[in-house]
Amino acid sequence: MRRFLLVPLLAVTLAGCSFLGQDTPCTLADADSGVSAVWQPTDFGGRDAARIRLCVDGTCEERTSGSPDDPFASLSVRLPDDIGSSTVQVRLTVTSAKSGATVVEDNTRARLTEHHPNGTSCPPTVWTATFRAHPDKGLTSPEGMKLQ
């Protein structure tokens, strides 16, 4: 009798079902709150020709522009997960790796939006904003950016 009861219980557990009423299993995707910038390395001269610096409310991250063989590159500044639907100051600075001259400089304010990577009833809840680092326009929308 004990084995007969444990087999169905194990099957229900492995299927992600719960006796507490959750009928959709949560996936285990992890995510962090933050602001990101994406770009095409060829936009900045290819083979690590530029340094991309992204700052959000005074916290900064930096990296090289990347290989021209890559369709896109990205950089993120992590934010506290409990930041909520706030507005943050975002600053982008792109400098030439060769001369140190500023190629692009831009700043804007970003309203963070709520995301649930595992579904609305599953953790985590993260707050994000994403921009494109454009060589002529600075911080723009990534919408329509060709990643190939």
Side-chain angles (χ1 to χ4, degrees):
M1 178 69 176
R2 184 177 283 172
R3 188 177 299 184
F4 179 73
L5 184 58
L6 287 178
V7 171
L9 180 59
L10 180 61
V12 168
T13 303
L14 291 175
C17 297
S18 153
F19 292 115
L20 301 176
Q22 182 179 355
D23 40 12
T24 304
C26 292
T27 58
L28 299 176
D30 194 16
D32 294 318
S33 294
V35 175
S36 300
V38 295
W39 64 89
Q40 294 174 312
T42 55
D43 284 347
F44 298 105
R47 188 101 19 227
D48 299 329
R51 300 278 315 156
I52 314 294
R53 182 176 175 89
L54 184 67
C55 299
V56 180
D57 284 347
T59 300
C60 301
E61 294 291 335
E62 187 174 313
R63 68 165 284 190
T64 60
S65 54
S67 170
D69 298 331
D70 294 332
F72 74 97
S74 66
L75 180 63
S76 295
V77 175
R78 190 161 191 258
L79 299 172
D81 287 333
D82 63 352
I83 193 164
S85 179
S86 60
T87 300
V88 294
Q89 185 67 40
V90 181
R91 188 180 67 210
L92 170 72
T93 307
V94 181
T95 55
S96 168
K98 194 174 206 176
S99 69
T102 299
V103 177
V104 177
E105 193 168 33
D106 194 14
N107 65 70
T108 190
R109 295 189 61 73
R111 182 78 172 172
L112 301 175
T113 57
E114 183 176 11
H115 294 277
H116 301 271
N118 297 314
T120 55
S121 62
C122 301
T125 298
V126 295
W127 300 90
T128 64
T130 302
F131 293 94
R132 176 182 181 184
H134 191 278
D136 299 320
K137 302 174 185 174
L139 293 165
T140 65
S141 170
E143 192 170 316
M145 184 176 173
K146 294 181 181 173
L147 301 179
Q148 296 182 358

